[in-house]
Amino acid sequence: MNVTTPLSKAQERKAVQYVEDTFMDITSAYKKRCLLSSYLHAMQNLLAFILRIPPVDPLTPLRTTFLLRLTGDVMNSVMGYPPDMTDLRQLLDFMGNLDQAWVAVLRSHIWDPDKGEGVDLMQSGTTIQSTPVSQTERTRLRSFLLTGIAGLEEWLAGSTPDGADYALELERHGLFQGFNDLFADTLAEVGDFVKAPENPAVTETD
């Protein structure tokens, strides 16, 4: 997919079908309680696909809708696996990727997979229209993250045997600060429910 060219109807149908089929496969594997590492690997691949969807109208909301669904699934499903210190580095890396993905989407940026971050939506010689994430979607995202982070704290408490202090264990493995700062960039971007622009963002280049 070209990240600055709108999807055709056929491409849109294929993208939707791929995402739906992948979610079904992941859900099926989750019910069988496959390893957390396998779940995260599958979600990372799905995240990469979603970020390739062009944030260009009229299909800009498609990327946001899929990413909200992925986020909600992750924040609920991770806690269904037994917490294991050996998986937490991969989990933290994935959450960091998801954090940067949301920053890109909230700013209506295209995704640069090499840099692992969003870049300004620009296309030489054209006018690109990209509808910003709605206030309702921002509120829903914030709720997903705050509720999920609270749940993860309880889940992490079960990652250490015999009631040991999980924060000390995370510190010992060099993970404490990362988990303490989960989704800090996204939450800062969402802010205190600042009203989103009413008109679609338009980027015009010479």
Side-chain angles (χ1 to χ4, degrees):
M1 287 182 282
N2 186 323
V3 293
T4 56
T5 301
L7 298 180
S8 66
K9 288 296 183 182
Q11 288 175 317
E12 179 188 1
R13 287 193 296 270
K14 288 181 180 179
V16 171
Q17 190 62 55
Y18 174 82
V19 172
E20 292 293 344
D21 289 346
T22 303
F23 269 121
M24 287 183 63
D25 291 342
I26 292 173
T27 300
S28 176
Y30 173 77
K31 290 179 178 178
K32 296 176 183 177
R33 285 299 188 271
C34 294
L35 297 175
L36 175 59
S37 58
S38 299
Y39 173 82
L40 293 173
H41 179 73
M43 278 299 190
Q44 182 64 55
N45 289 338
L46 181 56
L47 175 62
F49 179 85
I50 291 171
L51 290 173
R52 290 173 56 203
I53 296 174
V56 181
D57 289 347
L59 297 177
T60 305
L62 191 62
R63 186 174 69 159
T64 305
T65 298
F66 285 153
L67 196 55
L68 276 171
R69 183 174 174 184
L70 182 147
T71 303
D73 191 287
V74 168
M75 300 308 282
N76 285 308
S77 297
V78 164
M79 291 173 284
Y81 293 91
D84 189 328
M85 212 39 93
T86 59
D87 293 327
L88 296 188
R89 170 63 65 184
Q90 183 184 0
L91 174 60
L92 186 59
D93 289 344
F94 175 81
M95 294 297 194
N97 292 339
L98 186 55
D99 187 22
Q100 293 309 305
W102 269 116
V103 171
V105 170
L106 290 166
R107 294 177 179 176
S108 297
H109 285 179
I110 60 174
W111 183 253
D112 186 327
D114 295 325
K115 294 180 179 179
E117 61 185 23
V119 295
D120 286 340
L121 181 61
M122 299 175 66
Q123 184 176 8
S124 179
T126 64
T127 298
I128 301 172
Q129 204 161 14
S130 182
T131 303
V133 177
S134 71
Q135 190 61 39
T136 298
E137 291 166 330
R138 287 170 176 262
T139 302
R140 187 179 175 200
L141 170 60
R142 187 183 179 92
S143 177
F144 277 160
L145 297 183
L146 294 181
T147 302
I149 289 170
L152 280 173
E153 289 178 356
E154 295 183 11
W155 179 77
L156 286 168
S159 64
T160 54
D162 304 323
D165 189 330
Y166 78 92
L168 291 178
E169 281 297 301
L170 290 177
E171 186 71 50
R172 190 167 69 85
H173 288 81
L175 301 172
F176 177 78
Q177 193 61 48
F179 277 104
N180 196 50
D181 294 338
L182 279 179
F183 295 103
D185 290 341
T186 298
L187 290 171
E189 194 71 27
V190 172
D192 296 323
F193 303 110
V194 176
K195 185 178 180 181
E198 294 182 359
N199 297 321
V202 177
T203 301
E204 193 169 352
T205 60
D206 297 324

